[in-house]
């Protein structure tokens, strides 16, 4: 098949959507499909490079997000001439409008992956969470009325969409992770060098957080918990950047723990696996995740997970086996007691975490699952007598 993937962001940006797109593109190409990407450029200039069409854009409402003010029909002409068999949209804004335009012109179906719990972001435009949720529900129903099939990465998202009144076909396909880089061991010299760079000794007990620094990630809670914990020797390594960084740095100062919190900033995709391995335990307080790919990456790196309880983690984090989930500080503190008790529990749970991640979340299974959704969408959309695509059987 010829598959066009549309997304507001792409490399070198690092987030869950980009990770999903990159892994999906890789798996589809391995399986013999042609894939092109339609995304937004970092400025007002449109161009095409290496099968990726970048459309000129301007800053949007949400920090760090960009938008295109029109469909850019002239720039889309090469994609129309390429004639994709299916469009897989990943975002609901500028590039979705372009996906609709191309789909209408070519009479091909749109499959859409719903990545973002927008009601956790309504503080950016609405003081009322109730009004914000109603607006998100209306927007989501209206947007998804234009697609043939919806992919939800977890049952949490499928339930959310059902609650919004989305009537479309919703298929749960967990996003896969290219776990190869997270399986490699970190050379001792490299580990010592990185720890020294960030002021960490080999004796330090390190909690690591990886992701975009934004308000909805709730990192202030982790900072408060670190401040109140009796494990005063433990340090927190925060990997990533974003609009909320300065607020978090001020919070750490005000709590008197700035010397125990390391802001590593943004790191290159090829180095992120090394940073997971600088930690002993992965921590997160976010409840805005649709799947939580960083949890899976951490587990594949051999780190147990300590995170706020969330529906997206059902079947991912098994309490006492590969990590812990908490609802309040006392549960967080008890988990730290178990993690840092001086025994071999942390290593055993790290081994369990790696095994469960590798067995459940491979990118090949992700690609195969999405292929089946494509076949279903095309079969339902194309009129009788049209070309039929035969996909290889999936070994489960």
């Amino acid at each position: 098949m010829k598959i066009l993937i549309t997304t507001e962001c792409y490399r070198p940006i690092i987030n869950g959507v980009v990770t999903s797109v990159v892994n999906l593109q890789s798996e589809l190409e391995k399986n013999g499909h042609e894939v092109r990407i339609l995304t937004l450029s970092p400025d007002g200039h449109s161009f095409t490079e290496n099968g990726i069409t970048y459309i000129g854009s301007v800053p949007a409402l949400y920090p760090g997000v960009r938008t295109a003010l029109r469909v850019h029909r002239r720039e889309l002409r090469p994609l129309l001439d390429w004639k994709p068999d299916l469009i897989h949209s990943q975002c609901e804004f500028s590039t979705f409008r372009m996906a609709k335009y191309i789909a209408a012109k070519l009479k091909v179906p749109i499959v859409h992956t719903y990545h973002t719990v927008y009601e956790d972001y309504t503080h950016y435009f609405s003081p009322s969470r109730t009004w914000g949720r109603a607006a998100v529900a209306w927007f989501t129903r209206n947007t998804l009325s234009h697609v043939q099939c919806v992919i939800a990465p977890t049952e949490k998202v499928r339930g959310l969409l059902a609650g919004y009144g989305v009537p479309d076909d919703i298929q749960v396909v967990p996003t896969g992770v290219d776990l190869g880089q997270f399986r490699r061991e970190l050379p001792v010299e490299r580990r010592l060098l990185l720890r020294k760079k960030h002021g960490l000794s080999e004796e330090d007990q390190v909690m690591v957080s990886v992701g975009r620094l934004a308000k909805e990630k709730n990192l202030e809670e982790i900072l408060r918990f670190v401040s109140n914990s009796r494990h005063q020797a433990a340090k927190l390594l925060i990997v990533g950047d974003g609009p909320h960084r300065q607020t978090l740095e001020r919070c750490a100062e005000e709590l008197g723990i700035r010397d125990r919190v390391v802001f590593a900033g943004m790191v290159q995709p090829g180095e992120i696996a090394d940073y997971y391995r600088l930690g002993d335990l992965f921590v997160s307080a976010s409840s805005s995740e649709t799947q939580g790919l960083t949890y899976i990456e951490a587990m594949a790196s051999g780190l147990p997970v300590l995170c706020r309880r969330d529906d997206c983690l059902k079947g991912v984090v098994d309490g006492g086996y590969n990590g812990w989930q908490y609802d309040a500080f006392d549960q967080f503190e008890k988990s730290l007691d178990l993690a840092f008790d001086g025994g071999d529990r942390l290593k055993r749970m790290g081994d369990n975490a790696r095994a469960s991640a590798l067995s459940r979340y491979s990118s090949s299974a992700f690609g195969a699952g999405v292929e089946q959704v494509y076949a279903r969408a095309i079969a339902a959309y194309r009129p009788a007598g049209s070309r039929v695509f035969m996909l290889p059987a999936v070994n489960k």
Side-chain angles (χ1 to χ4, degrees):
M1 287 187 284
K2 292 181 178 180
I3 300 158
L4 175 63
I5 299 178
T6 64
T7 173
E8 304 291 283
C9 47
Y10 192 67
R11 291 170 169 167
I13 294 171
I14 303 172
N15 60 32
V17 174
V18 175
T19 297
S20 178
V21 169
V22 169
N23 291 340
L24 177 59
Q25 178 185 8
S26 175
E27 290 302 321
L28 291 174
E29 289 175 342
K30 285 179 186 176
N31 291 342
H33 304 293
E34 290 184 60
V35 181
R36 293 191 185 180
I37 306 294
L38 172 63
T39 189
L40 301 181
S41 77
D43 53 37
H45 177 57
S46 297
F47 61 99
T48 298
E49 184 176 84
N50 299 324
I52 305 165
T53 300
Y54 297 89
I55 300 298
S57 64
V58 297
L61 174 67
Y62 179 75
V65 172
R66 302 185 67 84
T67 186
L69 300 178
R70 56 189 177 87
V71 170
H72 291 259
R73 290 174 173 80
R74 180 171 62 83
E75 288 84 351
L76 298 181
R77 172 50 56 187
L79 291 175
L80 288 168
D81 293 341
W82 180 58
K83 296 182 179 178
D85 299 298
L86 177 140
I87 302 171
H88 189 166
S89 59
Q90 308 284 330
C91 301
E92 294 78 19
F93 301 103
S94 302
T95 53
F96 186 78
R97 294 198 302 272
M98 298 176 204
K100 285 197 301 178
Y101 170 75
I102 295 171
K105 285 287 185 182
L106 298 178
K107 294 182 172 54
V108 297
I110 300 175
V111 169
H112 183 79
T113 295
Y114 195 84
H115 288 281
T116 306
V117 182
Y118 287 108
E119 60 186 78
D120 290 325
Y121 295 72
T122 56
H123 54 267
Y124 287 102
F125 65 85
S126 169
S128 168
R129 184 172 178 84
T130 300
W131 184 89
R133 187 181 190 281
V136 167
W138 175 86
F139 170 77
T140 301
R141 285 195 306 273
N142 181 66
T143 300
L144 299 186
S145 67
H146 299 281
V147 310
Q148 188 72 32
C149 184
V150 180
I151 292 176
T154 59
E155 289 290 346
K156 170 186 174 179
V157 177
R158 179 156 68 178
L160 188 75
L161 294 175
Y164 291 162
V166 174
D168 296 89
D169 186 11
I170 303 172
Q171 300 294 312
V172 176
V173 182
T175 299
V177 177
D178 181 4
L179 299 175
Q181 63 176 315
F182 303 102
R183 299 175 67 176
R184 294 191 298 268
E185 293 301 321
L186 178 62
V188 174
E189 297 81 5
R190 171 73 171 159
R191 176 184 170 91
L192 291 173
L193 181 65
L194 286 177
R195 279 214 166 199
K196 182 178 180 180
K197 175 183 177 180
H198 295 294
L200 301 170
S201 73
E202 277 300 283
E203 291 72 36
D204 285 331
Q205 296 170 324
V206 178
M207 296 173 280
V208 62
S209 169
V210 177
R212 177 175 167 80
L213 305 189
K215 182 177 180 180
E216 58 277 359
K217 300 301 183 181
N218 198 25
L219 268 169
E220 284 97 335
E221 178 171 278
I222 297 294
L223 293 176
R224 289 196 306 272
F225 285 4
V226 169
S227 173
N228 294 331
S229 175
R230 55 180 161 265
H231 296 274
Q232 293 294 301
K235 293 187 177 181
L236 175 63
L237 174 64
I238 298 177
V239 182
D241 213 336
H244 210 50
R245 177 169 175 169
Q246 289 186 343
T247 300
L248 293 170
E249 289 176 335
R250 285 197 302 271
C251 181
E253 290 278 2
E254 292 166 1
L255 291 170
I257 57 171
R258 190 62 185 84
D259 61 330
R260 295 169 51 208
V261 180
V262 178
F263 289 88
M266 186 68 73
V267 302
Q268 294 302 311
E271 297 181 342
I272 194 67
D274 293 350
Y275 277 80
Y276 280 114
R277 293 196 187 89
L278 295 184
D280 301 294
L281 184 67
F282 179 83
V283 294
S284 174
S286 175
S287 58
S288 66
E289 308 300 319
T290 53
Q291 183 173 354
L293 296 182
T294 54
Y295 304 105
I296 297 168
E297 292 175 349
M299 291 166 60
S301 301
L303 290 187
V305 172
L306 173 56
C307 58
R308 176 161 280 284
R309 192 176 307 281
D310 192 282
D311 285 346
C312 79
L313 296 174
K314 288 180 178 177
V316 179
V317 179
D318 301 323
Y321 177 73
N322 58 18
W324 300 272
Q325 296 187 58
Y326 70 86
D327 296 298
F329 171 72
D330 60 332
Q331 296 170 330
F332 181 93
E333 183 76 336
K334 182 178 179 181
S335 298
L336 287 187
D337 291 342
L338 294 171
F340 297 144
D341 66 358
D344 65 349
R345 186 196 312 269
L346 209 57
K347 183 183 183 308
R348 284 189 285 107
M349 293 184 68
D351 291 341
N352 294 339
R354 173 173 283 155
S356 54
L358 296 178
S359 65
R360 300 174 189 172
Y361 300 103
S362 71
S363 55
S364 59
F366 172 45
V370 172
E371 278 187 328
Q372 297 306 313
V373 176
Y374 290 170
R376 180 178 181 146
I378 288 175
Y381 186 86
R382 288 184 176 273
S386 293
R387 176 177 161 209
V388 176
F389 296 94
M390 299 301 292
L391 297 179
V394 179
N395 294 320
K396 295 190 177 181

